[in-house]
Amino acid sequence: MRAMRIDGVPASPGYAEGPLFELDRPPVAYRRKASPAGEEAALKAAIGKAVRRLTSLTDAADADAAGILEFHIAMLQDDALSGPAIAAIGSGEPADAAWRQALDAEIAGYEASDQDYFRARAADLRDIRDQVLRALSEDSEDAAPPGAILYGTDIPPTRFLETDWSKGGGIALKAGSTASHVAMLARSRGVPMVVGLGDLADKPAGVALLDAEHGGIVLSPSPAEIEAFHQSSSSFAVQQGKAQTFLIQPAVTKAGTPVRVRVNIAYPSDVDGIDIATCDGVGLMRTEFLFGKALPDEETQYHAYRRVLEWAGEKPVTIRTVDAGGDKPVPGFTVEETNPFLGLRGIRLSLARRDIFRVQIRALLRAAIHGNLKVMFPMIATAEEYSQAAALFAEEQAALAARGVAHRLPPLGIMVEVPSVAIAPEAFANVAFFSIGSNDLTQYVMAAARDNGAVAPLNSVHHPAVLRLIASVAAFGREKGIPVSLCGDAGGDPAAIPALLEAGLRDLSVAPPQLATAKAAIADVSV
Ligand code: PEP
Ligand code: MG
């Protein structure tokens, strides 16, 4: 077969060489067994498989994620959970239907509870139900071989997170977008990713070459193409190596202007392997991924925040309160909406579910004594939202003080990612700082969804309308003495850095693998 190169858009730079693994294959249907004994054995084997899978995830997880996984394992190993399903199998039900009915009944019970804690646990049960159903029906080919290039329409964040990337591999998407959350995760873990490849008519077996530096994939490569690919990937590695010389230096432009460069993280374990001397602290810790599949309790959150604060020492750590919703659904917390990016997302959801928000606030107040914490609110559109969120901090602070619990009130700032704030920042002259979320600001200004590849060319931070808003927020901050930073993905993009510095920004936050290249790009700017 002749070699075929298909062009797409680079979403996370790098090179990968491996077999294509199709993400969009239809789920394999469960095949009924010959007898109830066979059905019971199949169910027990599937539960065992789900437990082994969770155990192996636990080994690689940080302490907080491990806590959630261990809770799932304990539930799966509890005979009380499988008992009703085994009884139904005894009355002639196949294993998959018996398990689904038993778990659905259990889930309905949790959902009907008048206590938040139990309602939140319904999400865990749904997860457990689906893991066993998946184990029941999957064939042994469901797992991608190590080093494979995952190919499909899109890839959910959970699939990304459960894939072992230590053996290489990459992501090639028919659709997708460079601004999606999974693209952000790929950049932060250094996984090569290309989006917008369209349908690959032929998907030959054998090795494919993913060029996520320029954006493309080569199928059935000739020896000459493989050779050229190896050359490009080694010169990419050399280029990255050169940028490394900037890593340990403070960032300064050609004109000698200092720029602060911080990191964006999503899990406490993301800081493992980052030398704090190479960055100016954490510009954004997204907390919604901690909320992943189950709502984390106060202790889990406290330990997660404390770990990052202790790692950073005196350097600032900006933790964002949960920004669930949009393309980041959290079972048991977010709601089904027809247009989730314009719906109950970020601070709107937190203010609507104060019981859940207060748990996070207490964890943040307690963690604040362990370092230089700042807290910011996502998706702020009005000054009232900020005041309400700040009032909840004050209330929880008073309650902790009354109980004699050690805590500190951190400076409270806001994300500037809704155009109303960028256009009229004067309503926010009382906030401690602004952090521009260029991902959302761009999608809302350009009316181009960040996760929709079909409108990706419109979703550009380079558009004068977006840059003008960024420049005006930077100018407002300078005038009022309010620090302004940027934590959207544009901050780590060498092609966007000159425009951001020209717009007046001097404080960027980037995915950890982008620290060196961002500093190298800053050194090339003449402001
Ligand atoms: C942003 O919108 O730019 C941002 C940093 O937040 P998130 O990507 O998590 O929505
Ligand atoms: Mg955002």
Side-chain angles (χ1 to χ4, degrees):
M1 193 182 165
R2 285 191 42 228
M4 212 179 358
R5 182 183 164 101
I6 298 101
D7 289 326
V9 180
S12 170
Y15 287 81
E17 179 177 358
L20 273 192
F21 177 84
E22 284 227 41
L23 292 166
D24 296 342
R25 56 177 72 197
V28 181
Y30 175 67
R31 278 186 291 275
R32 284 192 73 153
K33 307 294 174 284
S35 64
E39 295 290 351
E40 183 174 332
L43 180 59
K44 288 187 171 157
I47 293 175
K49 193 169 177 182
V51 167
R52 281 193 302 282
R53 188 175 265 155
L54 289 171
T55 309
S56 66
L57 284 179
T58 313
D59 296 342
D62 58 63
D64 315 311
I68 297 168
L69 295 167
E70 276 156 13
F71 173 68
H72 286 194
I73 293 170
M75 287 189 89
L76 277 169
Q77 286 173 332
D78 184 352
D79 289 344
L81 193 71
S82 54
I86 306 259
I89 287 174
S91 340
E93 285 288 336
D96 62 335
W99 176 256
R100 182 183 286 284
Q101 282 156 19
L103 268 284
D104 282 351
E106 193 80 9
I107 290 163
Y110 274 71
E111 278 170 344
S113 168
D114 55 4
Q115 288 181 38
D116 274 332
Y117 176 84
F118 287 108
R119 283 202 306 274
R121 294 286 89 84
D124 292 293
L125 278 172
R126 273 194 293 274
D127 198 347
I128 287 166
R129 175 196 65 197
D130 294 345
Q131 299 206 30
V132 173
L133 286 173
R134 186 169 140 205
L136 264 174
S137 63
E138 76 195 354
D139 62 7
S140 54
E141 294 191 333
D142 189 50
I149 297 170
L150 307 192
Y151 166 72
T153 307
D154 212 341
I155 172 171
T158 42
R159 181 74 194 239
F160 176 91
L161 291 168
E162 64 187 33
T163 301
D164 174 9
W165 299 107
S166 65
K167 309 276 183 314
I171 303 170
L173 297 184
K174 295 180 200 174
S177 154
T178 60
S180 68
H181 278 97
V182 84
M184 182 200 87
L185 286 173
R187 285 191 286 276
S188 72
R189 307 273 161 108
V191 176
M193 174 170 173
V194 176
V195 299
L197 288 163
D199 247 320
L200 307 183
D202 291 308
K203 288 175 284 297
V207 108
L209 309 175
L210 184 72
D211 168 359
E213 188 186 6
H214 306 100
I217 191 164
V218 183
L219 307 176
S220 307
S222 64
E225 273 162 323
I226 295 179
E227 173 61 26
F229 179 85
H230 288 164
Q231 275 178 15
S232 308
S233 75
S234 15
S235 63
F236 178 74
V238 169
Q239 209 185 310
Q240 296 279 0
K242 273 198 201 137
Q244 292 304 309
T245 56
F246 287 89
L247 187 59
I248 196 69
Q249 316 286 342
V252 238
T253 67
K254 226 187 247 175
T257 310
V259 176
R260 274 176 297 279
V261 186
R262 311 183 201 273
V263 286
N264 287 352
I265 60 168
Y267 292 96
S269 56
D270 287 350
V271 300
D272 297 347
I274 307 176
D275 178 354
I276 183 68
T278 61
C279 66
D280 297 296
V282 174
L284 165 63
M285 178 174 178
R286 292 178 166 95
T287 57
E288 44 282 358
F289 295 102
L290 291 178
F291 280 61
K293 291 185 175 170
L295 298 177
D297 61 19
E298 185 179 321
E299 282 314 296
T300 305
Q301 293 190 58
Y302 164 73
H303 287 291
Y305 308 148
R306 176 176 175 173
R307 184 168 157 201
V308 178
L309 286 160
E310 288 180 342
W311 166 81
E314 290 178 354
K315 293 189 176 173
V317 172
T318 304
I319 300 182
R320 183 173 71 185
T321 61
V322 59
D323 182 24
D327 61 342
K328 294 174 287 190
V330 174
F333 186 28
T334 49
V335 291
E336 290 274 326
E337 294 171 299
T338 49
N339 199 344
F341 276 127
L342 299 183
L344 210 51
R345 182 193 161 187
I347 197 67
R348 304 167 183 188
L349 183 62
S350 293
L351 291 173
R353 296 294 309 272
R354 294 181 181 210
D355 47 343
I356 293 172
F357 193 26
R358 284 179 189 276
V359 174
Q360 181 170 41
I361 293 174
R362 282 195 295 275
L364 286 164
L365 288 166
R366 286 174 51 210
I369 60 170
H370 298 290
N372 182 357
L373 176 66
K374 298 168 169 201
V375 170
M376 68 181 168
F377 305 122
M379 289 294 294
I380 290 281
T382 67
E384 288 70 39
E385 288 165 335
Y386 170 78
S387 319
Q388 286 179 28
L392 290 177
F393 266 79
E395 279 174 36
E396 289 303 327
Q397 183 198 14
L400 288 177
R403 280 166 45 210
V405 179
H407 69 279
R408 185 183 299 150
L409 181 66
L412 302 176
I414 62 166
M415 294 281 297
V416 179
E417 52 185 349
V418 176
S420 62
V421 180
I423 293 167
E426 58 280 0
F428 299 90
N430 58 337
V431 308
F433 61 93
F434 291 133
S435 183
I436 299 177
S438 50
N439 305 335
D440 279 312
L441 186 62
T442 306
Q443 79 160 343
Y444 295 130
V445 170
M446 300 306 296
R450 59 192 281 178
D451 61 349
N452 184 345
V455 294
L458 281 173
N459 190 292
S460 167
V461 76
H462 296 274
H463 193 282
V466 182
L467 287 176
R468 198 174 299 168
L469 283 181
I470 292 175
S472 95
V473 173
F476 178 78
R478 271 196 307 279
E479 185 195 324
K480 300 285 176 202
I482 302 173
V484 180
S485 57
L486 179 139
C487 63
D489 281 359
D493 177 2
I497 284 173
L500 297 178
L501 298 187
E502 275 151 28
L505 293 173
R506 299 290 180 264
D507 191 333
L508 306 175
S509 193
V510 308
Q514 296 173 327
L515 267 175
T517 44
K519 288 184 178 186
I522 289 166
D524 237 10
V525 181
S526 317
V527 294

